[in-house]
Amino acid sequence: MAAPPHQPSTLKPFTKPLFRILLTTILCSLLYLLGSHTSNSIRSSSVAFYTTAPITNTSSSSCVKLEWAINYTTSSPFLDFKAHHSLSVSPEHHQIRRFSFCSKNFTNYCPCHDYSRERLFTLKRFFHRERHCPGTSDEKLRCLVRPPAGYRRPFPWPKSRDMAWFSNVPFKRLTNDKKSQNWVRIEGDRLVFPGGGTSFPKGVNGYINEIKRVLPLKSGSIRTVLDVGCGVASFAAGLLGYDILTMSIAPRDIHEAQVQFALERGLPAMLGILSTYRLPYPSRSFDMAHCSRCLVQWTNYDGLYLMEIDRVLRPGGYWVLSGPPINWKANYKGWQIKADDLRKEQSNLEDLAGRLCWKKISEIGNIAVWRKPTNHIHCIKKLKAWRSLVFCKENDPDAAWYRKMEPCITPLPAVDNIKGTSGGTLKKWPSRLNTAPPRVTHAASGVITQRAFEEDNKLWRKRVLNYGGILDSLVKGKYRNIMDMNSGLGGFAASLSQYPVWVMNVVPVDAKNNTLGIIYERGLIGSYMNWCEAFSTYPRTYDLVHADGVFSMYMSKCDIVDIAFEVHRIVRPHGAVIVRDHVDTIWKVKGIMERMGWVCKLSHSEHGPYHPQKILIIDNSISSS
């Protein structure tokens, strides 16, 4: 039987290689599109939840949204560096070990001006009242300084200029010792500052009116003033009416808390004394220096202290002196000093001022005024003829951190002609604030160029705008005393000039560039500082502390925990702190601050989410401690 003819096999498309490739491609494409759609949906809902979900955990160990949040140009959420997991953790694992509080006797503790440390040093030339800081970590106080019982938020500016809560500065000695001179008096639960003073029999306004007859206080040419032996800073308060900013200094002496009174009033002040070291300011800083019976021995020690005033006084600047020995003929009985002693003292003072090449321009009643020359061309010739005082030979007249004073004249920069102003002529206030100063435009080294100065101004205007909500508090008068711990060119302070605040511009001695002279030429004030030590101020004296790169700067120099304790000491209980630094440093600082009981918020800087610089904001007013 013949075999049947061959039949074609049944069609099996899945066995064909080409078909398998085509089908695989289609399936992969569908899965990719489905996965992409699902991922986007999840990511969108996640972001929406993250940015809108209410925050329920307001413990001090969490970063929570503050009542004044920063406004940012980016829409990124608050930064979250915590690990995320689904394991339940017992409540005690969330607890942060808090730093303890100091005992009550440390309520007004000033680490570098402590009475107990003063006893270790000589009384000669009041050296015991210079800065004497704890040296080793074991000596440093690592506890939280408590406010006094009954502490209250200070009065808002400008009301604070005239009164303060007694419970905030509970010292009666000045009210008793200076009762007849009307420095300060107690009225119920308040301290009242009527504007009196030892040399102000007609009140501070009457005193300033006498000075105004001689000096151009309204012209804008006098902007920065140094007041030595400031009392409660009534002179500084009176000068504010002329848009003049005064750095008031006084030692911590038997008249308790003079500087603390001044800062409580919202007036710039710091602990300081003419003793052994230079004042912590650069040369050619102040347009005027003032002493109203400050009891400084101007003619002793080869005229050392008047030479220090000469160093910090700007070319063409003024020195105003009232009290002994001025007008001694009319006052020696009241001062209970022998007439002959006062006559000799004034004669020596006049001679010393002349050898400094100062010119006496007025003596009206109890007030005498001298003027420093605008350059040293004539002075060089005089000193060669007299062979008395000599010019200092060191090449850095701005160096002033623990630098001993020397009995020599700080030389002024050279000029081309007798009418020139050494170092350059400053613009009048307020034009000088945002104009590149002579230390920038005339700088031979070109470290800070005019372009860099202008760009720095723009940068800080942008940054201050990004600080957003905190400016609302400034406008409302919630903050008055502000410290910038690393002020650079003073751009942060200049950007706040429209608000009713003043800024203590601090230039760390560890900073790359010494810019404090530039800051003073802008019409601002400040001080040198080593942040491994404590600042020369009382606790609770600043409403806002701004720290730009400070903690990174000192990371390898000292323990930043001590810097954090210092920030806590000087910030008022209702104040705030802004830390701008590298994210790694920020995270370390955040951990320290939370142990102090402060709540915080982390955010991106104006550079956006991919830049390592971040911002930590601490609002002490909502602390849970």
Side-chain angles (χ1 to χ4, degrees):
M1 185 175 179
H6 177 73
Q7 298 292 329
S9 61
T10 305
L11 183 65
K12 296 181 180 179
F14 292 102
T15 65
K16 301 295 183 180
L18 182 63
F19 189 86
R20 286 202 302 268
I21 294 172
L22 179 63
L23 183 61
T24 301
T25 302
I26 293 172
L27 288 174
C28 288
S29 299
L30 288 173
L31 289 172
Y32 173 80
L33 293 173
L34 179 61
S36 175
H37 174 73
T38 305
S39 176
N40 287 336
S41 299
I42 293 172
R43 183 162 56 247
S44 298
S45 61
S46 176
V47 169
F49 173 80
Y50 190 65
T51 56
T52 60
I55 299 173
T56 57
N57 181 8
T58 58
S59 68
S60 62
S61 63
S62 303
C63 286
V64 301
K65 183 176 180 181
L66 305 183
E67 57 185 68
W68 44 265
I70 288 185
N71 293 329
Y72 288 96
T73 54
T74 63
S75 58
S76 58
F78 301 155
L79 303 185
D80 184 8
F81 295 97
K82 295 179 180 178
H84 296 274
H85 51 75
S86 57
L87 296 177
S88 59
V89 181
S90 57
E92 59 269 17
H93 288 178
H94 289 293
Q95 297 295 322
I96 293 178
R97 184 180 177 185
R98 296 284 185 85
F99 292 117
S100 60
F101 283 98
C102 306
S103 58
K104 292 181 180 179
N105 58 318
F106 285 97
T107 294
N108 297 294
Y109 179 59
C110 300
C112 298
H113 302 270
D114 183 31
Y115 288 128
S116 61
R117 291 184 63 81
E118 284 184 2
R119 299 170 188 160
L120 304 176
F121 302 95
T122 178
L123 303 181
K124 185 179 179 180
R125 286 172 48 182
F126 298 101
F127 181 69
H128 63 298
R129 289 190 177 137
E130 282 275 15
R131 286 175 57 87
H132 300 293
C133 304
T136 64
S137 297
D138 293 339
E139 293 180 285
K140 294 181 179 180
L141 193 71
R142 283 195 170 181
C143 55
L144 306 176
V145 175
R146 298 174 182 268
Y151 183 89
R152 304 172 68 173
R153 184 192 294 268
F155 290 103
W157 182 263
K159 191 175 182 180
S160 65
R161 178 182 55 199
D162 302 319
M163 63 182 64
W165 298 112
F166 176 75
S167 57
N168 291 9
V169 200
F171 302 108
K172 293 184 177 180
R173 182 154 188 167
L174 272 176
T175 63
N176 296 325
D177 291 358
K178 303 294 182 180
K179 186 176 182 179
S180 62
Q181 297 165 14
N182 228 13
W183 282 28
V184 57
R185 61 175 182 262
I186 299 176
E187 294 183 359
D189 57 359
R190 303 181 183 190
L191 294 163
V192 177
F193 303 93
T198 307
S199 297
F200 310 157
K202 298 178 182 178
V204 70
N205 291 330
Y207 179 81
I208 292 176
N209 284 336
E210 291 294 312
I211 296 175
K212 190 171 63 175
R213 294 169 57 186
V214 180
L215 302 184
L217 298 183
K218 290 185 176 181
S219 67
S221 59
I222 298 176
R223 164 63 180 172
T224 55
V225 172
L226 174 66
D227 188 15
V228 179
C230 64
V232 295
S234 291
F235 182 67
L239 288 179
L240 281 175
Y242 299 90
D243 221 356
I244 293 174
L245 194 59
T246 304
M247 175 71 81
S248 298
I249 63 171
R252 184 172 183 173
D253 60 8
I254 59 173
H255 294 137
E256 295 169 309
Q258 296 178 78
V259 166
Q260 192 173 10
F261 278 125
L263 288 159
E264 191 71 12
R265 298 177 69 182
L267 301 169
M270 61 185 293
L271 290 162
I273 188 172
L274 284 166
S275 169
T276 303
Y277 302 118
R278 287 178 172 181
L279 297 175
Y281 318 120
S283 64
R284 299 181 281 127
S285 300
F286 297 97
D287 301 309
M288 184 172 91
H290 170 261
C291 162
S292 170
R293 202 174 185 183
C294 57
L295 304 180
V296 173
Q297 298 171 322
W298 296 111
T299 59
N300 289 7
Y301 315 116
D302 298 318
L304 196 65
Y305 300 150
L306 203 57
M307 292 178 197
E308 175 63 359
I309 295 297
D310 180 76
R311 183 186 72 87
V312 300
L313 202 57
R314 199 179 308 287
Y318 303 95
W319 186 52
V320 180
L321 176 66
S322 64
I326 305 303
N327 199 17
W328 59 270
K329 291 180 181 179
N331 296 309
Y332 74 93
K333 291 182 180 179
W335 292 336
Q336 298 181 345
I337 304 174
K338 292 181 180 179
D340 193 52
D341 291 343
L342 289 167
R343 179 188 60 78
K344 290 179 181 178
E345 185 180 346
Q346 176 140 5
S347 177
N348 291 337
L349 183 63
E350 301 277 6
D351 176 67
L352 178 57
R355 287 187 289 131
L356 286 168
C357 303
W358 293 3
K359 180 181 179 180
K360 190 173 184 179
I361 62 174
S362 175
E363 184 173 334
I364 301 175
N366 297 329
I367 303 173
V369 181
W370 284 263
R371 190 176 191 189
K372 180 177 176 176
T374 56
N375 61 67
H376 274 160
I377 290 180
H378 276 170
C379 195
I380 292 172
K381 296 178 181 179
K382 284 184 179 181
L383 293 185
K384 285 182 179 179
W386 291 343
R387 296 189 180 184
S388 54
L389 296 183
V390 297
F391 285 105
C392 302
K393 294 181 180 180
E394 68 162 312
N395 56 9
D396 190 1
D398 291 346
W401 188 250
Y402 291 122
R403 180 69 65 90
K404 286 188 176 181
M405 290 183 278
E406 297 180 53
C408 54
I409 301 176
T410 302
L412 291 173
V415 293
D416 295 330
N417 59 76
I418 194 65
K419 294 183 179 180
T421 299
S422 293
T425 303
L426 295 178
K427 297 281 187 181
K428 292 185 177 181
W429 180 263
S431 297
R432 71 167 74 170
L433 178 63
N434 292 306
T435 302
R439 291 189 196 231
V440 171
T441 58
H442 295 184
S445 63
V447 173
I448 307 296
T449 64
Q450 185 166 342
R451 181 177 179 181
F453 175 83
E454 292 169 353
E455 289 177 350
D456 185 75
N457 280 345
K458 292 179 183 178
L459 174 63
W460 279 106
R461 282 194 289 268
K462 179 181 178 181
R463 286 177 171 178
V464 168
L465 284 175
N466 281 343
Y467 287 158
I470 205 169
L471 297 183
D472 292 336
S473 300
L474 294 171
V475 172
K476 296 174 183 177
K478 182 178 179 181
Y479 302 142
R480 170 64 182 171
N481 304 349
I482 296 178
M483 175 178 285
D484 191 0
M485 296 176 70
N486 183 21
S487 54
L489 301 177
F492 174 67
S495 297
L496 294 177
S497 61
Q498 60 184 308
Y499 302 104
V501 302
W502 67 271
V503 180
M504 179 68 78
N505 292 281
V506 177
V507 172
V509 292
D510 301 277
K512 182 179 179 181
N513 297 314
N514 181 357
T515 55
L516 194 54
I518 294 173
I519 288 169
Y520 271 94
E521 287 188 343
R522 300 186 71 173
L524 305 170
I525 59 173
S527 173
Y528 293 121
M529 181 62 194
N530 177 354
W531 284 114
C532 289
E533 300 179 358
F535 196 76
S536 293
T537 192
Y538 286 83
R540 305 172 301 280
T541 44
Y542 286 88
D543 302 295
L544 171 64
V545 171
H546 181 261
D548 177 20
V550 172
F551 289 93
S552 287
M553 181 185 297
Y554 284 92
M555 190 72 72
S556 61
K557 295 178 174 65
C558 55
D559 196 333
I560 63 170
V561 172
D562 294 316
I563 300 177
F565 269 110
E566 176 62 4
V567 171
H568 186 280
R569 186 183 74 88
I570 66 179
V571 170
R572 285 173 171 169
H574 302 287
V577 181
I578 300 175
V579 181
R580 176 185 289 269
D581 220 312
H582 189 278
V583 61
D584 294 339
T585 303
I586 285 283
W587 191 239
K588 293 177 182 177
V589 173
K590 173 183 173 292
I592 298 169
M593 298 302 194
E594 286 180 343
R595 291 186 64 188
M596 294 178 173
W598 283 349
V599 290
C600 64
K601 185 182 76 173
L602 284 168
S603 278
H604 299 302
S605 70
E606 71 282 351
H607 299 296
Y610 301 108
H611 195 277
Q613 187 182 71
K614 303 301 175 186
I615 298 173
L616 176 70
I617 306 173
I618 297 148
D619 182 3
N620 207 19
S621 68
I622 59 174
S623 171
S624 62
S625 59

